[in-house]
Amino acid sequence: QVQLVESGGGLVQAGGSLRLSCAASGLAFSSFPMAWFRRAPGRERESVAAITGGGADTYYVDSVKGRFTISRDNFENTVYLQMNSLQPEDAAVYYCAAQVPPFNRDRWRNSYNYKYWGQGTQVTVSS
């Protein structure tokens, strides 16, 4: 079966960096667009970034543009989220998700477009 396993979360001071990883198995990884979402306490899950199957195109929400970078290694079946200049408002549980192809670039932010989800990794940012 399909499994997505996130790692790399933790506690970091404001202004610091973290790199999240999501290891995928059970799917033809390079065919699947991937995304990162997050959910903070008391808030709805929100999209963060997405990347097409080949990795050529990436998408970000405005709040993370210039600070976060999504990438993927299709040989290692892993997608990454490099997070720099972290702020307290970035604190959340971060989830990776796989979208059944083809990529829906007009609705990449909608969670219902993603069929497979990881269990999440906690990111805490101290001020």
Side-chain angles (χ1 to χ4, degrees):
Q1 73 275 19
V2 175
Q3 282 193 313
L4 303 177
V5 180
E6 302 96 334
S7 61
L11 172 64
V12 64
Q13 288 188 329
S17 299
L18 282 175
R19 189 194 196 201
L20 305 184
S21 300
C22 172
S25 60
L27 75 171
F29 183 72
S30 63
S31 299
F32 280 73
M34 299 294 295
W36 287 93
F37 288 76
R38 66 187 180 187
R39 176 176 282 164
R43 300 183 63 178
E44 294 187 355
R45 182 169 53 191
E46 63 173 350
S47 55
V48 176
I51 187 168
T52 51
D57 298 310
T58 56
Y59 303 80
Y60 300 92
V61 294
D62 287 346
S63 60
V64 307
K65 282 181 181 176
R67 300 189 299 123
F68 291 11
T69 303
I70 188 171
S71 62
R72 66 191 296 159
D73 184 335
N74 285 343
F75 292 101
E76 297 293 332
N77 287 1
T78 301
V79 62
Y80 303 97
L81 186 68
Q82 177 67 44
M83 305 186 295
N84 298 329
S85 301
L86 283 161
Q87 300 302 315
E89 54 265 32
D90 296 314
V93 178
Y94 282 72
Y95 302 88
C96 70
Q99 183 182 126
V100 176
F103 181 56
N104 189 335
R105 60 173 42 89
D106 292 329
R107 296 183 175 147
W108 74 267
R109 297 187 62 180
N110 292 335
S111 60
Y112 62 76
N113 282 312
Y114 296 83
K115 183 174 182 179
Y116 304 109
W117 292 83
Q119 82 290 347
T121 186
Q122 177 73 51
V123 171
T124 304
V125 184
S126 63
S127 56

